[in-house]
Amino acid sequence: MQIIENNLLKEKVYIEKLTSGITLICIPKEKTTKKYIVCGIGYGSNDNHFYIPKENREVKIPDGVAHFLEHKMFEQENGVNSLDVLSSLGIDANAYTTNDHTAYLFECTDNFYKGLDELLNYIQNPYFTDQNVEKERGIIAQEINMYDDEAESKVYINAMKALYQKNPIQIDIAGSVQSINNITKEILYDTYNNFYVPANMVIVVSGEFKPQEIFKEIKSRITMNNKLEAKKIEEKEPQEITQKEIEAQMDISMPIFTFGFKVNPDEKEKVKRALAIEILLEILIGQSSELYEDLYENGEIFSDILSSFEWSNNYAHVLLQGKSNNIDTIEKKIIQKIQQLKEKGIDEKQFERAKRKIYGIYVKEFNEVSECALLFLTNYFRQINPFEYLENYKIISKEYTESILKEVFDENKMVKSVINPN
Amino acid sequence: MDYIKENIKDGVNLHLIINDNFKTDYTVIFLTVPLEKETVTQNALIPAVLKRGCSKYDNFKKITEELEMMYGAFLECGVDKEGDNLILKFFIESINDNFLPEKNNNIIKSIDMLINIVFNPILENGKFKENYINTEKQNLELLINTQKDDKDQYAYEKCINIMYKDTGFGLNKYGSIESLNKINSENLYEHYKNLINDSKIDIFISGNINKEEIINQIKDNQFIKSLKPREGKINENHYKKELKQKIENAQEKIEEMDVSQGKLVIGLDILPNDLGDFRFIAILYNAIFGDGVNSKLFQIVREKESLAYTAKSLYINKKNNIFIKCGIEISKYEKTVNLIKQLLEDMKNGNFTEEDLQVAKEYIIAGINCIEAEQDTQIIFLFGQELSNLHLTVEEYKKNIEEVKHEDIVKLANLIQLNTIYFLRNGGKNADN
């Protein structure tokens, strides 16, 4: 068992990789009544194309399979739904699908081990029938329709279309009402059997646990032992964006925008770079920045511009999102500001403030069992441990951050996605 | 966890929640006033104006620079509707010094800053700064105009508004454009002075804090000292107040917008009764009927009939209402409404099992058990009790839930009436795909 710790946070984390390939992570938290567990599978909506060597078979599946699979995993052969079972134990259970992983989780104060039985049972024993697949189509179609009414979802996915030429991140995680029509129980089983395997799985727990004990309990409930054979097929993503601008119309009252910068994902020093980008976003457009003050005082924006750096192993981009009647002005001013920062460098005081703010955001993530477990899960799939952020916090320099500014904020790799009122 | 309530002066209370299981501390100031058409817009504008600057930090940039120096302390100011009252809330979440690379007195700084923001605004010629008022008026207008962009929330608020019209709970918490146009820096400052003199004030501090130090800091603060004692009158904020009239037929309202999915909201009333403190019965009725994945609504409307992705109900104890919310295919409106009516009838006829009741109890108690595990939830729980003046410990709360019987729920089910059915759908040619 590996133990990692951070003295500032006063947290220790225990990690064990089992011979079957499953990784177990425990973040013990005393003095909390809540217990949290999440099981992550390294299979997400982007993985729609793969090859199975032993059968010499290449598989392309419809959009939305990973998410459909997530919905259907709860169904059991005896007719019960595991979500109902967990809920009736007073356990708050859920699941979600991202571009690169799928997660099954629950949170509770009592009945943790009964919940653990149920969780590991349903993840290891799928039960798909023509009938239960058919039933789910209607529910997922309503989920897709719900997101169709949200301008924020539309402006985001359009930004992905403008940024990426090949990467499937430009496809909605849930697929479309049309694509889910082509999903069958055979496709679900095929995908499940190839990717829901120990080597592709991580389990993170947080709460009042003794690491050895909880790991033993988890191990005793693992029955699956198949190997990871399938190879994901990814088309190489060009460095260039697809298009500079993308626009759509919806029934909204004020235009909304997302600006995106395409970033090269396969870099060394992933954590240090992510930290530098987050600091830069604060300096560029954070609440204490000159640009934010200018835009706000001039009535060009009326709420924050949300900025984020999203990245995994095969994509990375910076996003700036907001609402405004003067999107072109904002775009112009952002480009000007980036240029100015590149030329004049970053102000020392501003750098220190931004750094401190980012520090606080990381510490807060360790407040609750759910947040810190998910932090470890997400970063597991990026092959890093979250303590690295705080370790890099100590050493990151203004000069390094300035070099990242020049590399990442490239106007040629900037896109603009806008939804206008119709 | 230790909870201490200290009366500073009439109508002004300090609530300390001392715990050592979080990395953050919370400083919160709540100003509570009756929700009234005449004042709601001014009240909604005040937090936005105060956030712009105070005498100590005269603009927002200075405030945020100070927050950043406190290792990313987070400030939020806004309004919330709680039954027939409006709450102006101001809070700062900051990292506890134990988790900083150096001692920074974060909690002392947070308290000082929040008190300055609320009670020591920046003035210009004896009134609010003209340019702050102008920008914030414009922003509030945009906020009101863009409310309809969130279709789910819009449909819910619309249903409430149809039921209560322009009084109390029926009002938009942001007020109206019409009233906004009449506001200027002078009359808003006059209103602010009345607000500070009359509102019920509750200050919450939660975290790993030194009790004596904090109490002294608050009591010795010049702005707290200069507050006048007040009655702090608010609208009664609990279930006993609300007496519903029996109605024969529910009203139905259909509105059209460009949506892919229909948003159905149904408002139910709980009629006056002699069941005593029936909140706990209503919580369990709601859990069996429509809250959570084991509820009838979720199981039938979503899982069995595949009519919806979201299907849930919400109990508003202060108003004796239950609201049902579903996102459905537009062509399935009548089918869904009929199905829901049938489910309500089933509840009246006692068509649910002891096991359903047990599951609902587990579900609710699990939620109660989490209250102390979340810093903000705990503040909301204690403040809710302060407003309703109905005080129960978490243990008493659980006991009340445990004691509810099947027959109690059937009795309550027969006191529930349909008040309003609201449906937001698309119009014209694209309907019914």
Side-chain angles (χ1 to χ4, degrees), chain A residues 9-11 31 34 84 87 90 135 142-143 149 251 253 288 293 296-297 302 353 356 359 367, chain B residues 20-21 23-24 68-69 98-99 136 139 145 149 151 258 260-261 294 299 303 306 366 374:
Chain A
L9 283 169
K10 303 179 175 63
E11 298 281 356
K31 297 174 190 164
K34 266 204 256 178
D84 304 350
S87 178
K135 184 207 84 178
Q142 284 313 312
E143 188 178 358
D149 284 338
D251 189 352
S253 343
S288 72
E293 190 183 31
Y296 194 93
E297 304 251 323
F302 82 106
R353 285 200 310 267
R356 286 191 180 203
Y359 176 89
N367 232 354
Chain B
D20 61 355
N21 43 341
K23 293 196 159 49
T24 46
E68 286 169 359
M69 287 309 281
N98 289 335
F99 304 100
E136 294 313 322
N139 285 345
N145 284 333
D149 296 352
K151 306 288 188 276
D258 182 9
S260 306
Q261 185 185 56
N294 284 297
Q299 286 298 326
E303 292 297 314
S306 304
E374 294 163 8

Side-chain angles (χ1 to χ4, degrees), chain A residues 404-422:
Chain A
I404 296 297
L405 170 74
K406 291 188 180 124
E407 177 209 316
V408 167
F409 292 86
D410 178 353
E411 204 188 320
N412 295 319
K413 292 191 183 168
M414 179 180 178
V415 304
K416 174 167 76 168
S417 166
V418 175
I419 310 281
N420 282 311
N422 54 8

Side-chain angles (χ1 to χ4, degrees), chain A residues 81 83-90, chain B residues 287-299 356 359-360 363:
Chain A
N81 183 304
L83 200 57
D84 304 350
V85 174
L86 289 164
S87 178
S88 65
L89 291 164
Chain B
I288 296 169
F289 175 75
D291 185 13
V293 297
N294 284 297
S295 68
K296 303 291 171 200
L297 189 68
F298 191 90
Q299 286 298 326
D356 291 334
V359 165
Y363 174 73

Side-chain angles (χ1 to χ4, degrees), chain A residues 107-205:
Chain A
E107 179 175 82
C108 64
T109 52
D110 300 313
N111 293 329
F112 179 83
Y113 288 100
K114 284 186 191 163
L116 184 63
D117 284 338
E118 190 66 35
L119 175 77
L120 292 179
N121 181 46
Y122 82 74
I123 290 173
Q124 298 180 93
N125 298 291
Y127 181 68
F128 312 136
T129 64
D130 290 331
Q131 202 190 359
N132 73 27
V133 168
E134 194 52 45
K135 184 207 84 178
E136 208 65 27
R137 255 190 262 285
I139 298 171
I140 296 176
Q142 284 313 312
E143 188 178 358
I144 293 169
N145 282 340
M146 179 181 81
Y147 290 117
D148 278 350
D149 284 338
E150 291 174 9
E152 287 78 8
S153 311
K154 182 84 179 164
V155 77
Y156 173 85
I157 209 77
N158 278 353
M160 294 305 124
K161 285 179 183 155
L163 284 168
Y164 294 95
Q165 302 185 39
K166 308 278 185 193
N167 196 302
I169 191 170
Q170 60 188 292
I171 300 162
D172 264 313
I173 287 174
S176 65
V177 175
Q178 291 74 32
S179 76
I180 63 168
N181 271 329
N182 300 321
I183 297 175
T184 60
K185 73 166 195 290
E186 289 74 21
I187 294 175
L188 294 180
Y189 272 120
D190 200 18
T191 315
Y192 175 88
N193 289 330
N194 278 297
F195 291 101
Y196 280 55
V197 300
N200 208 18
M201 200 184 272
V202 57
I203 298 176
V204 189
V205 290

Side-chain angles (χ1 to χ4, degrees), chain B residues 8-9 39 105 125 149 159 262 282 302-303 313-314 327-328 354 361 393 398:
Chain B
I8 304 281
K9 52 192 77 176
T39 53
N105 291 320
N125 308 321
D149 296 352
C159 183
R302 172 171 151 150
E303 292 297 314
S313 67
L314 189 73
I328 58 171
E354 268 310 319
K361 284 181 179 175
T393 63
K398 280 198 253 185

Side-chain angles (χ1 to χ4, degrees), chain B residues 137-342:
Chain B
K137 271 178 71 175
Q138 191 190 334
N139 285 345
L140 187 57
E141 183 176 341
L142 291 169
L143 195 58
I144 293 169
N145 284 333
T146 52
Q147 275 178 302
K148 74 172 172 64
D149 296 352
D150 181 344
K151 306 288 188 276
D152 285 329
Q153 188 62 23
Y154 172 81
Y156 175 52
E157 290 291 339
K158 191 64 192 260
C159 183
I160 295 174
N161 180 255
I162 293 166
M163 286 166 75
Y164 289 96
K165 308 287 184 289
D166 288 339
T167 59
F169 193 50
L171 290 165
N172 183 355
K173 69 173 182 176
Y174 295 128
S176 67
I177 308 255
E178 195 193 346
S179 312
L180 189 62
N181 289 334
K182 295 178 192 148
I183 298 178
N184 58 43
S185 55
E186 205 164 353
N187 61 26
L188 190 68
Y189 184 59
E190 285 308 310
H191 177 79
Y192 165 81
K193 285 194 282 187
N194 295 336
L195 173 79
I196 295 300
N197 283 334
D198 300 338
S199 63
K200 172 172 168 48
I201 300 180
D202 292 277
I203 303 172
F204 279 81
I205 318 281
S206 164
N208 191 357
I209 49 172
N210 180 322
K211 179 183 143 191
E212 308 304 329
E213 186 184 33
I214 300 296
I215 292 178
N216 289 336
Q217 188 192 353
I218 303 266
K219 282 189 170 167
D220 295 343
N221 182 286
Q222 55 165 313
F223 302 108
I224 300 293
K225 272 186 179 165
S226 62
L227 289 174
K228 296 189 178 78
R230 75 273 322 279
E231 191 188 347
K233 194 171 164 10
I234 60 170
N235 280 317
E236 274 187 278
N237 208 45
H238 55 68
Y239 70 101
K240 283 187 241 168
K241 181 216 165 192
E242 197 62 31
L243 297 175
K244 303 287 180 195
Q245 304 287 319
K246 199 160 170 54
I247 48 176
E248 286 310 314
N249 291 308
Q251 50 183 335
E252 187 184 18
K253 166 94 180 157
I254 296 176
E255 193 178 353
E256 289 178 357
M257 270 190 205
D258 182 9
V259 288
S260 306
Q261 185 185 56
K263 319 290 177 191
L264 172 65
V265 183
I266 299 179
L268 308 173
D269 295 330
I270 304 174
L271 293 170
N273 58 66
D274 53 7
L275 295 172
D277 190 351
F278 61 85
R279 285 178 297 161
F280 307 98
I281 306 173
I283 287 170
L284 287 168
Y285 171 91
N286 185 53
I288 296 169
F289 175 75
D291 185 13
V293 297
N294 284 297
S295 68
K296 303 291 171 200
L297 189 68
F298 191 90
Q299 286 298 326
I300 307 289
V301 172
R302 172 171 151 150
E303 292 297 314
K304 184 158 172 271
E305 300 287 339
S306 304
L307 289 168
Y309 171 67
T310 53
K312 63 184 167 214
S313 67
L314 189 73
Y315 167 50
I316 307 287
N317 64 20
K318 294 154 201 91
K319 298 301 295 179
N320 290 339
N321 287 125
I322 289 172
F323 291 93
I324 302 167
K325 303 201 255 183
C326 300
I328 58 171
E329 201 174 306
I330 289 157
S331 62
K332 302 285 170 62
Y333 169 64
E334 267 147 34
K335 184 176 178 184
T336 312
V337 170
N338 289 333
L339 202 56
I340 289 172
K341 284 180 177 167
Q342 186 54 52

